[in-house]
Amino acid sequence: MATQMQQPQTNGTRNGKFVPTQGIAEIIALAAVPGEMAPSEFGPSEVRYRLTDGRTWYVPQVIADEVNIRIAARQQFEVLKFGRNKTDLRLTPLPAFQQPAAPPPAPVPPPVAPPPSAAAPAATAVTSKLMGCFMAAIDSIREAQAYADRSGLKVTFTSEDVRSTAIACWISACKEGR
């Protein structure tokens, strides 16, 4: 009797399912759009998509609505999980001709660098964290606006809404110690 060796799991894979990894952008493509409704063991029904590599991806209905509008079958797109909830996803469609970008080359240090400041690394980390909060706020507000438009609601979000959402994200991130 022959046995098969089990393949090691890679990022975003659990038992043949695609599960986005928080903070890691992953490029996938769907075999068909729209997906199929599937019962969930842990809550409301979800939508099941089959990826072109054979894995399955289960998403809440709100994410499926976005996928059905923005993503075509077999189109590559980037999935970035930025929070703990299944809805904390940023989907970025990639044009057909675009290949995933190579990482930028490492910067060449100047010949004579000024002495390092003790506050510089902390300031860079704080700046990156705050920038991430604003990016998440802008994306969330844009998606909320699109959802409101699709639902027939006459709502217009302002820069104040973006600022408030970014502050809420910042407070949450600080409380979690990220």
Side-chain angles (χ1 to χ4, degrees):
M1 168 153 71
T3 60
Q4 292 182 342
M5 292 180 32
Q6 185 168 350
Q7 297 295 323
Q9 291 185 357
T10 60
N11 282 346
T13 302
R14 285 190 205 144
N15 300 327
K17 295 179 186 175
F18 171 67
V19 181
T21 305
Q22 186 167 343
I24 298 176
E26 301 175 74
I27 297 175
I28 62 172
L30 304 176
V33 174
E36 303 169 345
M37 290 302 293
S40 174
E41 298 174 8
F42 305 107
S45 294
E46 295 183 312
V47 178
R48 176 180 50 227
Y49 290 97
R50 171 99 32 218
L51 304 185
T52 54
D53 64 6
R55 294 179 293 169
T56 54
W57 183 33
Y58 294 88
V59 298
Q61 184 63 53
V62 67
I63 299 297
D65 289 344
E66 180 181 355
V67 168
N68 294 340
I69 290 170
R70 299 182 60 209
I71 309 296
R74 307 188 98 49
Q75 176 186 11
Q76 287 188 334
F77 64 102
E78 181 180 85
V79 177
L80 175 64
K81 182 168 180 61
F82 61 85
R84 293 182 178 178
N85 295 327
K86 287 190 91 170
T87 57
D88 293 341
L89 297 175
R90 184 174 303 128
L91 308 177
T92 307
L94 300 175
F97 61 86
Q98 179 180 349
Q99 295 298 322
V108 177
V112 178
S117 165
T124 301
V126 169
T127 302
S128 295
K129 187 186 296 186
L130 185 57
M131 183 64 177
C133 289
F134 270 99
M135 290 170 61
I138 290 167
D139 287 348
S140 297
I141 294 292
R142 183 183 63 231
E143 295 304 322
Q145 181 71 56
Y147 182 75
D149 292 344
R150 288 191 309 272
S151 299
L153 297 175
K154 304 297 180 204
V155 178
T156 302
F157 294 100
T158 66
S159 59
E160 179 63 23
D161 296 313
V162 173
R163 187 184 71 81
S164 298
T165 304
I167 289 171
C169 179
W170 173 259
I171 291 169
S172 176
C174 289
K175 284 183 178 178
E176 292 176 5
R178 295 197 264 161

